[in-house]
Amino acid sequence: MNTSDPFQQSSRLLSLDILRGVTIAGMIMVNNPGSWSSVYAPLRHAHWHGLTPTDLVFPFFMFIMGVSTFMSLRKFHFEPSKAAIWKIVRRTVLIFVIGLALGWFGQLCRGLASGEPFTQAATHFDTLRILGVLQRLGLAYGFAALIVLFVKSKYLPWVTALLLIGYFLILQFGKGFDMSEQNIIAVIDRTLWGTDHMYKDTTSLGERIAFDPEGLLSTLPSIAHVLIGFLFGKLIVENKDNHTRVEKLLIWGTILAFAGLLLQYGCPINKKIWSPTFVLTTTGFAAQLLGLLIWIIDINKKERWSRFFHAFGVNPLIVYVFAGVFATLLSNIRFTVRGEAISIKGFVYEVLLRPWAGDYFGSLLYALLFITVCWLFGYILYKRNIYIKI
């Protein structure tokens, strides 16, 4: 835990924390509607191929993680010292374990809510999902950070290209663009830990299959994703003038985004398999947005509008973990209303919001209320100068 303001500790851009805060707030919002059956189209993930605004929030955070990785490893001079390697391994394991713990906590609460005794609800390890969002973040960060310690920065673009091209070939010859259990991503996960430990998705025909959007194989392009963010972090640090930073972020961001959009005709943009074009397009958009935020916040000093996201941006992962725990509790703590058991979430949405706001707008209002509570948690930490690094 760090109790000093990170903005006083370094000269890093405020816009970096705002972009990080925007992405965390977005991740929380799209994960917590009042009802999954009543979600506006822009707040849904693409079913398979394609890209929606919701598909941008996770890769944007991963991009910022890459930028931050450059800044955090500078003090080690990007050399594979014991201290640097230990820091990376420790953080990777910690993030991965927290992801597993959130999954276990969800199973525990669902079991208790269904009437199971604690010992039974707490031991459903045979169906615990191995991978997930935090696990993806941990693995992508860990491998990318180790790569930058052992590979000179001038070779990193080649390593990134090799990862993306190699992954494309694997997808091409392993039915990787098919949403089926024969997809190479699903095959590897099923072989390693079985279907009981995998996420279950629904095909366009309504069939439930074991397919994990954070699968182990699709971690490869996620590593490339963090490396691209790392290279943009290098660009930001090496260019001290904000106008130059904006110019280069917009230029390179546009190049990447257009490359991804043009190449999608041979390699579809797809978040669930983290396709190479998904990496190029989303890192390009993220760089463009970061350039825009630097121009608005750090150059023109128009930052008042961004204060809401500040609390998310300085404690991103701990707020995300809080949101996961809070959402689980709201969905599983039940009480009786008019003779029927209902969860806190169900009561807020079904009884308080839906009758007057309607299905879709009520669902959105619930998500916004949920974000507000998470913001209050982050704001309390921020006002008390508590910055928890995971």
Side-chain angles (χ1 to χ4, degrees), residues 12-24 56-72 91 137 141 225-233 236 249 282-283 285-287 289-291 293-294 313 316:
R12 75 187 188 188
L13 298 167
L14 174 59
S15 51
L16 288 173
D17 286 305
I18 299 305
L19 180 54
R20 188 185 294 110
V22 169
T23 58
I24 284 295
L56 298 177
V57 289
F58 188 15
F60 276 23
F61 185 80
M62 193 166 287
F63 171 86
I64 288 296
M65 175 177 276
V67 174
S68 301
T69 298
F70 180 89
M71 298 176 179
S72 68
R91 188 171 188 234
L137 287 173
Y141 158 79
H225 205 116
V226 177
L227 289 175
I228 293 174
F230 178 90
L231 291 170
F232 274 102
I236 290 169
L249 283 167
T282 55
T283 53
F285 287 163
L289 179 55
L290 179 56
L293 289 176
I294 292 175

Side-chain angles (χ1 to χ4, degrees), residues 195-321:
T195 58
D196 288 341
H197 296 285
M198 295 171 61
Y199 181 84
K200 305 303 188 297
D201 208 340
T202 305
T203 69
S204 58
L205 299 176
E207 178 187 2
R208 293 280 288 176
I209 63 172
F211 184 91
D212 206 314
E214 282 82 41
L216 186 63
L217 179 62
S218 57
T219 302
L220 288 175
S222 300
I223 297 170
H225 205 116
V226 177
L227 289 175
I228 293 174
F230 178 90
L231 291 170
F232 274 102
K234 183 173 183 289
L235 180 153
I236 290 169
V237 170
E238 291 180 350
N239 294 275
K240 306 300 182 183
D241 179 67
N242 279 335
H243 290 88
T244 303
R245 287 168 169 170
V246 170
E247 178 183 317
K248 292 191 174 183
L249 283 167
L250 292 179
I251 290 173
W252 284 107
T254 301
I255 291 172
L256 288 175
F258 266 91
L261 292 171
L262 291 173
L263 291 173
Q264 69 173 313
Y265 297 100
C267 175
I269 296 175
N270 188 311
K271 176 189 178 294
K272 292 183 179 180
I273 61 174
W274 216 272
S275 65
T277 47
F278 178 77
V279 173
L280 295 174
T281 304
T282 55
T283 53
F285 287 163
Q288 291 172 329
L289 179 55
L290 179 56
L292 178 62
L293 289 176
I294 292 175
W295 182 77
I296 294 172
I297 297 172
D298 297 293
I299 294 178
N300 291 299
K301 305 301 179 182
K302 296 178 180 179
E303 59 185 61
R304 180 175 297 180
W305 66 271
S306 67
R307 291 176 183 173
F308 175 82
F309 300 106
H310 201 174
F312 289 100
V314 294
N315 276 306
L317 290 183
I318 196 64
V319 174
Y320 183 81
V321 171

Side-chain angles (χ1 to χ4, degrees), residues 30 32-40 44 345 349-350 354 358-360 362-364 366-367:
V30 301
N32 294 280
S35 170
W36 284 106
S37 62
S38 301
V39 178
Y40 290 113
R44 292 182 181 272
K345 176 182 179 179
Y349 173 64
E350 297 288 351
R354 184 167 171 258
D359 294 348
Y360 282 81
S363 183
L364 175 60
Y366 177 88

